[in-house]
Amino acid sequence: MNEIMNAFRKERDPMRNKPSFLDIEYFRKIYSDNELFTQFFNEELNDSYDANNMLLKFSPSLEEFILIEKIQDDYKEEHKQPHIKFLWPENIGIRPDVLEYLDANNYRVGMQNLYAANQHDLNIPSINEELVIKKVTPATLNDFIKMNIDEDDTYDENIKKYRQKLYTYQAKMTHVDFFIAYSHQLPVGSLVTIASKLFLEIDNVLTVPSFRNQKVASSLINYVIQNLAKNKSILIVADAEDTPRKIYEKIGFEFISSQIHVEKLLENTYL
């Protein structure tokens, strides 16, 4: 244990003034917190990878990771959590022997990038003036949910049920808003905003396949920037390999940091 503590003290990242992944809303609560890791959970979204995971505070050696993995596995069994997920510290990589172990033990490794911008830094060159953007109300919530669960025909029924549960959960939150872009009364795109004291997070930007390349996403983002941002910094998280990240950089978002996530592939878990 002392060796693990020493590794953490050597590698922990100093505090920064810029936003971090800790400013992103994952709808999770702290179950336990120590010098080695923070364990997050949400009993209402027990099958959510984003809400139930362990944030490491150092990059462990293989021996250290196996010990921490056992702690997480015991937690999973006790709380009937159907998956395992670890988050590495921001801008910290995985040791080669740990990466080899993860690959051999059916883990999925990915990385996300955090982007931020102030309202005056963003420049969206053009939007679709024909679109009508509206905030989702209880009367239109089903339109939003249906569009978001039907947008990918590869989703099976379990994933669709999970997404419906997630959006229904988020809709109850006073700091969360949904928006839909309509073309001639037809829903063609949507996004989610999550507000905090300092930040406005943009999440789940969606354009239905038949309306792609028609400036739906840029129109939605522009609407949010003009009407909700005020004096807040705007945050967006994107998968490191996704095409949209290039769009965010092009319109003025600044790359802040990256974070590696490691997930154990188990059945009936989705995000």
Side-chain angles (χ1 to χ4, degrees):
M1 181 63 73
N2 288 335
E3 292 180 358
I4 301 178
M5 293 290 189
N6 290 336
F8 159 62
R9 293 188 179 102
K10 290 178 182 178
E11 298 188 26
R12 59 184 174 182
D13 196 22
M15 294 291 292
R16 296 169 299 169
N17 293 323
K18 291 184 178 181
S20 75
F21 277 91
L22 290 176
D23 295 304
I24 298 299
E25 172 65 272
Y26 291 115
F27 305 98
R28 61 190 184 181
K29 296 175 284 188
I30 294 177
Y31 177 81
S32 64
D33 185 39
N34 55 54
E35 283 192 301
L36 305 179
F37 59 80
T38 302
Q39 177 78 55
F40 294 101
F41 81 109
N42 185 328
E43 66 277 9
E44 295 184 61
L45 298 173
N46 194 45
D47 47 358
S48 168
Y49 281 99
D50 286 340
N52 301 272
N53 48 60
M54 179 182 284
L55 171 61
L56 303 180
K57 297 183 179 180
F58 70 111
S59 184
S61 66
L62 178 57
E63 181 181 3
E64 293 163 347
F65 179 76
I66 291 173
L67 290 173
I68 294 173
E69 181 186 40
K70 180 62 167 60
I71 295 172
Q72 176 75 317
D73 193 57
D74 289 345
Y75 174 91
K76 174 183 71 70
E77 294 298 324
E78 180 181 353
H79 296 272
K80 296 181 171 55
Q81 179 179 296
H83 68 270
I84 294 177
K85 179 174 181 177
F86 299 94
L87 300 169
W88 254 244
E90 292 182 49
N91 300 320
I92 298 294
I94 300 176
R95 299 172 191 260
D97 56 344
V98 175
L99 190 60
E100 184 177 340
Y101 174 85
L102 295 171
D103 184 60
N105 285 273
N106 202 30
Y107 279 93
R108 178 174 56 197
V109 180
M111 186 168 68
Q112 291 187 313
N113 291 339
L114 173 63
Y115 298 90
N118 294 318
Q119 185 180 28
H120 62 268
D121 294 327
L122 296 174
N123 178 30
I124 298 178
S126 61
I127 62 174
N128 188 334
E129 299 284 357
E130 295 183 356
L131 297 178
V132 176
I133 298 173
K134 296 182 179 179
K135 181 179 174 179
V136 171
T137 66
T140 57
L141 179 59
N142 285 337
D143 288 344
F144 174 89
I145 293 175
K146 186 176 188 305
M147 179 171 51
N148 276 269
I149 66 176
D150 290 347
E151 58 95 12
D152 190 335
D153 58 12
T154 63
Y155 290 161
D156 64 23
E157 287 305 311
N158 286 328
I159 294 178
K160 290 182 178 182
K161 288 179 181 177
Y162 167 76
R163 285 185 170 268
Q164 180 160 5
K165 180 174 71 171
L166 174 65
Y167 293 131
T168 302
Y169 175 88
Q170 291 178 334
K172 300 175 185 177
M173 305 294 169
T174 58
H175 66 302
V176 178
D177 288 311
F178 302 153
F179 293 88
I180 296 178
Y182 292 90
S183 176
H184 304 290
Q185 300 183 345
L186 178 70
V188 297
S190 66
L191 60 68
V192 179
T193 63
I194 305 169
S196 64
K197 184 177 180 180
L198 298 177
F199 305 109
L200 182 72
E201 179 186 347
I202 296 176
D203 195 17
N204 289 351
V205 182
L206 167 71
T207 301
V208 298
S210 59
F211 274 79
R212 286 174 185 162
N213 300 316
Q214 297 188 42
K215 304 174 184 176
V216 175
S218 60
S219 299
L220 281 160
I221 294 173
N222 182 71
Y223 179 89
V224 168
I225 292 169
Q226 299 302 322
N227 293 279
L228 280 76
K230 297 182 180 179
N231 296 320
K232 296 181 179 181
S233 295
I234 305 158
L235 306 182
I236 289 183
V237 173
D239 286 342
E241 300 301 321
D242 278 0
T243 301
R245 68 185 179 86
K246 298 179 181 178
I247 299 174
Y248 301 145
E249 293 172 347
K250 185 176 180 180
I251 65 176
F253 278 94
E254 175 191 358
F255 170 79
I256 301 298
S257 63
S258 61
Q259 185 173 55
I260 292 173
H261 55 88
V262 173
E263 304 165 354
K264 187 76 169 182
L265 300 179
L266 302 175
E267 294 182 359
N268 298 323
T269 54
Y270 315 116
L271 289 179

